[in-house]
Amino acid sequence: MASSTDLYLKLIFDIERLRAGGGTKAVQYAAFDAAVTGSHILDWVLNELTPEAHLRLTGLKKGARQKKDEPGPITTFIERNGGRMGGIDFCRQIANSVKHMKISFGKPMKDMAIGSTVKLEWTDNRITNAYSIAYIQIEPEGEKINVVELFQDTAEQWREFLEREGLWVEQPPDWEE
């Protein structure tokens, strides 16, 4: 990995693994990988930004040390850009809650839960298909949102951002092989 574009391409790979499904563990692991990748693209972006772009996108000088009780560039980036790039915060929340067992780098989303389940398809009172999905749920009894859609939206947000900020690194024609 040499750029934020490379991590973006890994996110696309993780989403495809998630779409492929399989058993519950395969879906859980692919969803976790997608959340971590979608969240950590920001680390690469913050490193690649010019000082001017860093200040514009975070409100902080690049490389400046923050006081202990002040939000850092990850938190301020998400706060400033959440309207256009809301998927990043979901990825951060999922990645941190699974990896660290608690939310770090910002405020936790109230009442957010993550999980997985098996969906059954029925035809004429018979199960014709069963597949695993991973989901997030914002309220205790709220709708379960399939994370494939969330991660796909996040990938699209990252692609647009990388292109808009001049960070997109064009890939050779055979990058998928």
Side-chain angles (χ1 to χ4, degrees):
M1 303 283 167
S3 70
S4 53
T5 300
D6 292 339
L7 227 56
Y8 163 82
L9 294 172
K10 183 184 179 308
L11 175 59
I12 297 301
F13 179 82
D14 293 339
I15 293 168
E16 289 308 313
R17 283 178 41 227
L18 187 54
R19 281 187 205 284
T24 302
K25 288 293 181 197
V27 168
Q28 289 172 343
Y29 294 163
F32 174 64
D33 289 349
V36 170
T37 303
S39 174
H40 284 91
I41 292 171
L42 181 53
D43 295 328
W44 285 79
V45 163
L46 291 172
N47 185 58
E48 294 171 354
L49 289 173
T50 64
E52 297 78 21
H54 191 279
L55 181 62
R56 175 173 46 84
L57 293 165
T58 67
L60 303 170
K61 287 186 179 182
K62 189 171 184 174
R65 296 186 56 89
Q66 301 308 120
K67 294 180 182 175
K68 188 175 181 175
D69 58 341
E70 290 181 350
I74 291 172
T75 301
T76 58
F77 181 95
I78 291 170
E79 288 172 356
R80 285 179 166 237
N81 299 282
R84 275 194 272 181
M85 302 180 71
I88 299 168
D89 199 26
F90 281 114
C91 287
R92 179 187 64 83
Q93 298 273 340
I94 294 167
N96 281 318
S97 65
V98 173
K99 186 177 176 186
H100 301 291
M101 297 175 287
K102 64 178 183 175
I103 303 300
S104 58
F105 292 116
K107 298 175 185 169
M109 289 181 181
K110 188 175 189 269
D111 295 325
M112 186 183 103
I114 57 176
S116 61
T117 190
V118 175
K119 288 286 189 178
L120 304 175
E121 292 179 356
W122 296 78
T123 304
D124 298 326
N125 294 327
R126 298 176 123 186
I127 297 173
T128 55
N129 190 19
Y131 57 95
S132 298
I133 66 160
Y135 64 87
I136 63 167
Q137 194 170 12
I138 305 304
E139 299 171 5
E141 299 300 319
E143 175 188 0
K144 292 178 180 174
I145 301 165
N146 188 324
V147 294
V148 173
E149 296 166 15
L150 169 70
F151 295 141
Q152 187 61 51
D153 289 347
T154 303
E156 291 169 13
Q157 293 163 6
W158 271 127
R159 175 72 186 244
E160 290 171 10
F161 175 86
L162 295 173
E163 289 175 348
R164 184 175 59 246
E165 293 298 325
L167 299 176
W168 179 255
V169 177
E170 205 56 48
Q171 301 297 300
D174 63 344
W175 74 270
E176 289 184 8
E177 295 176 9

